[in-house]
């Protein structure tokens, strides 16, 4: 644990009844001043983590530390965190000013100080001049900003955001992604953001925790997670991927689709069964004789920036290809890719083992 | 045009009903209030109303209505709150509502039996060594029975407004640092105030004109505006005075309606935030 750690989960489990726990023996650390994202499908336990940090529930077992102090039983109103709720949860009987001032009034601050800080918070979220509006008069995006202002005005150490952008339309959502990221950097506070949208997670985060079934599958920077997914779930959840079964013949040699290929992975047992991931954008269309693999084009969709081709190899594995080049449907084409594009995933590998293996590749891979 | 005239036919029963059962009785009551005992036109009844007898009666009527409303609210609010937290809330609500479907008179007679000198309650007192108590014909029994009868009418609107409230708002209030009590005073109560107002209307206004319970349970020791009207019409046969009291009663009701009137703001935005 470093001095920079602000929140620490130690073997935290949360279950509502005897059935499968929502959160299963989860441990992690949150560092000060970073933007974290808890990413996963609904029901994976990401909101449960948020609620545990906020203090709306207590863990069934395990401990939660905040600044080194155990906070398992500290009630929500005594915690140094504020939440931006999914449905904003703005008080409908109070106007914008009073909503934002709510926390400050409870702290019994002086009137002038409250006014100053509320107006400052409104300025922060680009809502100057809206202080006397009623909540019903605000649009979805504006409510969102009020909710953020209501959280930051209290100057908490950590701000929790529970899928705050999910109710907004696409354009506004993209806009708010930029704004949130910028806000976090300006404030220098720890943001913990919950989402099921992988693009949102990749775009905004310093660090992503990918979760599934109450367990953190993988944590790391967006690039780490995108480039080196630990297992089928993460590879599938983050971005689009071609995942096929393969066999690791020897170090740097992997077999899939009935052929041997050069790859960048080593340190696995010979003839170990693995999953192979190749991202669609790493596959390049070429002629059959120049390609490393021959596939038949099944369908082709125009996606704007690229064509999305669905192709099949002889064994019936589907290969999704993103290409700026066009191909003819029904035609056989060759696919070319770099050895680094092949990502080998061991079956049932834990995150620790995975990290160790990646480190063992050492300098040679990093140099590339 | 054709459509419009057609549509206005549908309003005929409504207007007919309003005329016959709302407007006409009101006019009649006001009309009767302007005649004295001997059938002469005068304002004597209105003058009489401002004498100490009737003012005292009005005051006591308000006092009892206030007590009944206050006790009903004190019991109904926590009950409604607890109801929204239970698993089978609709079932529990039904159990509370069911007694209100039973005839009022029947329930009142049941209490005469329970509270009577030879009733089960006094049997219990005796076995505990307290001895027989006079429970009927006291202020206590009057308020107790009235509260019992009015409770469902207070619980229902409060339950509805509590149930409608977005529960995340409570989390939000806690998150912003408010204690359980401040959460209640600053968020839960203000957001359910409309339910409380409806409940007060449904209890306070009928309490002003209770006369059956005052007679059967309080043995006419408690006189309300309702009892006074009944006495004037049926005992004294002074229809003028009875009507005058009724006019004032209606005025008080209107004032209470205005005072507890609903501002749409809270309820509306409560809906919209969802």
């Amino acid at each position: 644990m470093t001095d920079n750690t602000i929140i620490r989960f130690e073997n935290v489990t949360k279950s509502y009844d005897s059935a499968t726990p929502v959160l299963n023996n989860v441990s992690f650390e949150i560092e000060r001043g970073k933007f974290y994202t808890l990413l996963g499908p609904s029901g994976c336990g990401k909101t449960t983590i948020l609620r545990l940090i906020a203090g709306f529930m207590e863990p069934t077992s395990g401990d939660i530390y905040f600044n080194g102090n155990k906070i398992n039983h500290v009630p929500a109103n005594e915690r140094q965190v504020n939440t931006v709720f999914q449905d904003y949860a703005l008080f409908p009987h109070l106007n914008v000013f009073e909503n934002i001032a709510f926390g400050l009034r409870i702290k019994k601050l002086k009137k002038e100080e409250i006014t100053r800080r509320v107006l400052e918070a409104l300025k922060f979220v680009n809502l100057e001049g809206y202080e006397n509006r009623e909540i019903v008069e605000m649009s979805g995006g504006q409510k969102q900003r009020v909710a953020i202002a209501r959280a930051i005005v209290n100057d908490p150490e950590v701000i929790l955001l529970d899928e705050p952008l999910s109710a907004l339309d696409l354009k506004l959502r993209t806009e708010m992604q930029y704004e949130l990221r910028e806000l976090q950097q300006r404030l220098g506070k720890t943001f913990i953001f919950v989402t099921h949208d992988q693009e949102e997670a990749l775009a905004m985060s310093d660090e992503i925790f990918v979760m599934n079934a109450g367990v953190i599958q993988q944590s790391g920077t967006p690039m780490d997670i995108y480039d080196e997914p630990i297992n089928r779930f993460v590879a599938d959840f983050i971005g689009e991927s071609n995942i096929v079964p393969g066999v690791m013949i020897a170090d740097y040699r992997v077999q899939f689709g009935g052929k041997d290929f050069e790859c960048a992975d080593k340190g696995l047992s010979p003839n170990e069964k693995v999953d192979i991931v190749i991202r669609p954008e790493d596959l390049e269309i070429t002629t059959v004789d120049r390609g490393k693999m021959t596939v038949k084009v099944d369908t082709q969709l125009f996606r704007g920036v690229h064509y999305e081709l669905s192709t099949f190899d002889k064994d019936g594995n589907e290969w999704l290809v993103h290409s700026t080049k066009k191909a003819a449907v029904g035609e056989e084409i060759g696919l070319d890719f770099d050895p680094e594009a092949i990502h080998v995933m061991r079956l049932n590998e834990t995150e620790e083992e995975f990290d160790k293996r990646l480190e063992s590749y050492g300098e040679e891979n990093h140099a590339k | 045009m054709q459509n419009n005239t057609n549509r206005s036919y549908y309003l005929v029963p409504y207007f007919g009903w309003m005329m016959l059962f709302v407007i006409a009785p009101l006019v009649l009551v006001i009309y009767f209030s302007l005649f004295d005992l001997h059938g002469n036109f005068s304002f004597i009844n209105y003058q009489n109303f401002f004498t100490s007898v009737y003012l005292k009666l009005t005051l006591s009527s308000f006092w009892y209505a206030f007590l009944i409303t206050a006790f009903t609210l004190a019991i109904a609010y926590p009950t409604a709150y607890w109801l929204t937290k239970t698993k089978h809330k609709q079932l529990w609500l039904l159990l509370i509502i069911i007694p209100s479907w039973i005839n009022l008179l029947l329930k009142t007679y049941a209490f005469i039996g329970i509270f009577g000198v030879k009733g089960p309650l006094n049997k219990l007192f005796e076995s505990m060594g307290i001895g027989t108590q006079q429970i009927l014909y006291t202020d206590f029994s009057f308020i107790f029975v009235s509260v019992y009868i009015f409770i469902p009418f207070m619980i229902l609107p409060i339950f509805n407004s509590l149930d409608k409230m977005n529960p995340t708002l409570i989390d939000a209030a806690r998150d912003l640092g408010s204690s359980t009590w401040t959460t209640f005073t600053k968020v839960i109560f203000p957001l359910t105030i409309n339910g409380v107002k409806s409940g007060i209307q449904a209890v306070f206004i009928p309490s002003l004109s209770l006369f059956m319970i005052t007679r059967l349970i309080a043995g006419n020791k408690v006189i309300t505006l309702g009892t006074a009207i009944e006495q004037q019409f049926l005992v004294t046969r002074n229809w003028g005075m009875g009507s005058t009291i009724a006019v004032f009663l209606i005025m008080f009701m209107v004032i209470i309606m205005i005072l507890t009137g609903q501002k749409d703001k809270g309820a509306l935005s409560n809906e919209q935030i969802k």
Side-chain angles (χ1 to χ4, degrees):
Chain A
M1 190 183 75
T2 59
D3 284 344
N4 232 354
T5 305
I6 186 156
I7 295 171
R8 187 155 54 93
F9 270 50
E10 234 170 53
N11 306 325
V12 173
T13 295
K14 174 76 195 174
S15 45
Y16 292 109
D17 38 50
S18 52
T20 40
V22 221
L23 217 56
N24 196 354
N25 204 17
V26 166
S27 302
F28 62 84
E29 285 178 8
I30 299 276
E31 278 177 31
R32 217 175 285 276
K34 279 192 181 177
F35 197 118
Y36 287 86
T37 299
L38 302 172
L39 175 67
S42 54
C44 70
K46 55 192 194 297
T47 300
T48 306
I49 291 186
L50 216 63
R51 294 180 69 81
L52 285 168
I53 297 174
F56 301 140
M57 49 169 72
E58 289 180 12
T60 312
S61 67
D63 293 323
I64 301 169
Y65 294 89
F66 191 89
N67 275 337
N69 304 314
K70 193 168 140 183
I71 55 160
N72 285 22
H73 305 296
V74 175
N77 53 327
E78 288 165 27
R79 296 194 186 189
Q80 281 284 307
V81 296
N82 283 117
T83 310
V84 177
F85 294 89
Q86 184 169 10
D87 58 1
Y88 318 134
L90 298 174
F91 303 120
H93 60 300
L94 304 175
N95 66 12
V96 171
F97 185 96
E98 286 305 320
N99 259 283
I100 299 173
F102 193 91
L104 303 177
R105 291 219 191 279
I106 281 165
K107 284 188 204 133
K108 300 217 170 9
L109 296 182
K110 279 197 196 110
K111 229 180 167 181
E112 305 83 61
E113 163 131 30
I114 292 177
T115 313
R116 186 181 59 77
R117 281 173 67 172
V118 169
L119 294 181
E120 194 182 80
L122 274 169
K123 207 169 156 188
F124 247 115
V125 295
N126 297 322
L127 276 182
E128 281 168 291
Y130 282 83
E131 56 269 21
N132 292 323
R133 293 279 187 102
E134 293 298 328
I135 296 304
V136 271
E137 297 170 330
M138 306 291 274
S139 70
Q142 289 170 335
K143 281 185 197 165
Q144 179 64 76
R145 286 158 204 256
V146 176
I148 293 167
R150 188 176 68 173
I152 63 173
V153 77
N154 300 296
D155 201 23
E157 295 209 50
V158 177
I159 293 176
L160 308 172
L161 303 107
D162 186 6
E163 308 212 22
L165 307 183
S166 60
L168 305 178
D169 61 60
L170 182 67
K171 199 161 171 251
L172 200 58
R173 197 157 70 216
T174 324
E175 208 178 293
M176 285 304 288
Q177 285 174 14
Y178 280 107
E179 272 188 38
L180 266 182
R181 179 64 176 151
E182 205 221 0
L183 187 72
Q184 187 268 334
Q185 280 166 344
R186 257 193 298 163
L187 292 169
K189 295 204 179 294
T190 315
F191 274 42
I192 304 177
F193 185 90
V194 159
T195 185
H196 58 263
D197 183 332
Q198 45 107 359
E199 278 177 40
E200 218 163 80
L202 292 173
M204 298 166 76
S205 324
D206 289 314
E207 193 112 354
I208 298 177
F209 293 166
V210 185
M211 296 192 60
N212 189 33
V215 174
I216 296 177
Q217 302 283 329
Q218 187 174 10
S219 56
T221 65
M223 292 216 358
D224 283 348
I225 285 177
Y226 190 83
D227 291 340
E228 302 284 352
I230 183 172
N231 56 27
R232 189 178 262 269
F233 173 80
V234 176
D236 209 28
F237 199 77
I238 310 273
E240 284 182 280
S241 338
N242 297 298
I243 308 173
V244 293
V247 176
M248 201 73 191
I249 295 167
D251 284 356
Y252 307 119
R253 297 298 296 173
V254 65
Q255 187 187 58
F256 58 89
K259 272 190 185 170
D260 283 9
F261 296 97
E262 190 193 335
C263 69
D265 295 76
K266 63 159 189 164
L268 284 79
S269 356
N271 293 323
E272 186 180 330
K273 283 195 174 156
V274 291
D275 273 335
I276 303 297
V277 180
I278 303 180
R279 297 283 182 190
E281 65 270 23
D282 290 337
L283 292 169
E284 210 177 307
I285 296 178
T286 178
T287 55
V288 173
D289 43 305
R290 286 169 79 186
K292 289 186 177 167
M293 194 162 45
T294 306
V295 292
K296 197 173 170 188
V297 181
D298 187 50
T299 54
Q300 177 172 266
L301 292 176
F302 179 57
R303 290 282 193 194
V305 279
H306 58 71
Y307 289 97
E308 185 176 284
L309 281 71
S310 167
T311 67
F312 287 90
D313 65 14
K314 287 197 304 291
D315 296 353
N317 295 318
E318 187 187 7
W319 295 93
L320 215 57
V321 183
H322 287 174
S323 165
T324 47
K325 279 186 235 160
K326 224 174 145 174
V329 174
E331 197 177 282
E332 291 218 317
I333 53 167
L335 291 180
D336 191 22
F337 46 87
D338 293 336
E340 289 81 40
I342 301 174
H343 174 65
V344 175
M345 298 187 301
R346 294 181 90 162
L347 307 175
N348 300 321
E349 192 174 34
T350 67
E351 204 180 349
E352 279 162 16
E353 291 163 354
F354 176 75
D355 288 341
K356 219 179 244 174
R357 180 158 67 87
L358 283 191
E359 271 163 34
S360 77
Y361 297 169
E363 304 285 284
E364 46 171 337
N365 268 10
H366 282 279
K368 281 177 189 172
Chain B
M1 274 314 276
Q2 186 65 37
N3 238 344
N4 265 344
T5 45
N6 262 348
R7 220 175 284 160
S8 56
Y9 286 131
Y10 297 129
L11 289 173
V12 169
Y14 172 73
F15 277 120
W17 179 276
M18 289 292 283
M19 282 308 296
L20 263 170
F21 298 109
V22 181
I23 310 288
L26 263 177
V27 172
L28 275 178
V29 163
I30 294 168
Y31 176 79
F32 281 130
S33 71
L34 296 172
F35 292 92
D36 67 11
L37 254 180
H38 312 288
N40 303 316
F41 180 87
S42 82
F43 288 104
I44 185 83
N45 296 322
Y46 286 87
Q47 277 172 22
N48 282 342
F49 189 84
F50 288 101
T51 57
S52 66
V53 181
Y54 288 103
L55 285 182
K56 246 191 216 162
L57 182 134
T58 310
L59 216 62
S60 109
S61 195
F62 267 87
W63 172 243
Y64 281 107
F66 167 78
L67 282 181
I68 292 166
T69 313
F71 282 119
T72 313
L73 182 62
I75 296 167
Y77 202 104
T79 312
Y81 189 78
W82 165 79
L83 271 178
T84 56
K85 299 270 169 262
T86 53
K87 249 189 179 168
H88 308 286
K89 49 187 174 187
Q90 293 303 334
L91 177 76
W92 285 109
L93 189 66
L94 190 71
L95 288 177
I96 287 174
I97 299 302
I98 282 174
S100 69
W101 295 344
I102 296 164
N103 187 281
L104 180 68
L105 201 59
L106 210 60
K107 283 187 284 190
T108 313
Y109 272 108
F111 272 106
I112 296 180
I114 294 168
F115 284 166
V117 183
K118 294 203 163 92
L121 198 62
N122 265 319
K123 288 250 169 66
L124 182 76
F125 283 162
E126 266 168 49
S127 69
M128 280 161 54
I130 303 170
T132 309
Q133 302 285 324
Q134 180 62 43
I135 312 167
L136 274 178
Y137 315 131
T138 59
D139 281 6
F140 163 79
S141 60
F142 170 62
I143 290 176
F144 185 94
V145 174
S146 308
V147 167
Y148 166 80
I149 280 164
F150 282 124
I151 271 178
F153 301 100
M154 185 69 98
I155 287 183
L156 203 60
I158 296 177
F159 172 85
N160 282 336
S161 57
L162 276 169
D163 204 37
K164 215 169 60 180
M165 196 180 73
N166 178 1
T168 324
L169 292 175
I170 296 169
D171 280 348
R174 299 283 293 162
D175 189 68
L176 292 165
S178 50
S179 62
T180 317
W181 178 245
T182 352
T183 306
F184 177 75
T185 56
K186 288 194 133 189
V187 177
I188 301 173
F189 192 73
L191 283 175
T192 52
I193 190 75
N194 281 342
V196 173
K197 281 178 177 176
S198 306
I200 289 176
Q201 276 183 10
V203 174
F204 192 87
I205 294 175
S207 299
L208 280 179
S209 57
L210 280 175
F211 73 89
M212 199 202 37
I213 300 174
T214 50
R215 166 164 295 179
L216 295 176
I217 300 288
N220 272 356
K221 278 190 182 164
V222 177
I223 307 278
T224 64
L225 288 171
T227 348
I229 295 170
E230 190 220 5
Q231 301 262 326
Q232 293 290 349
F233 273 92
L234 301 180
V235 183
T236 329
R237 301 217 165 253
N238 186 351
W239 284 32
M241 195 60 221
S243 300
T244 308
I245 302 170
V247 169
F248 278 100
L249 187 59
I250 292 165
M251 272 162 46
F252 294 142
M253 287 174 181
V254 171
I255 291 168
I256 292 156
M257 295 275 277
I258 293 167
L259 285 180
T260 54
Q262 317 253 323
K263 274 183 240 136
D264 267 350
K265 206 174 101 185
L268 196 80
S269 36
N270 207 4
E271 286 278 289
Q272 290 194 353
I273 200 134
K274 283 195 170 176

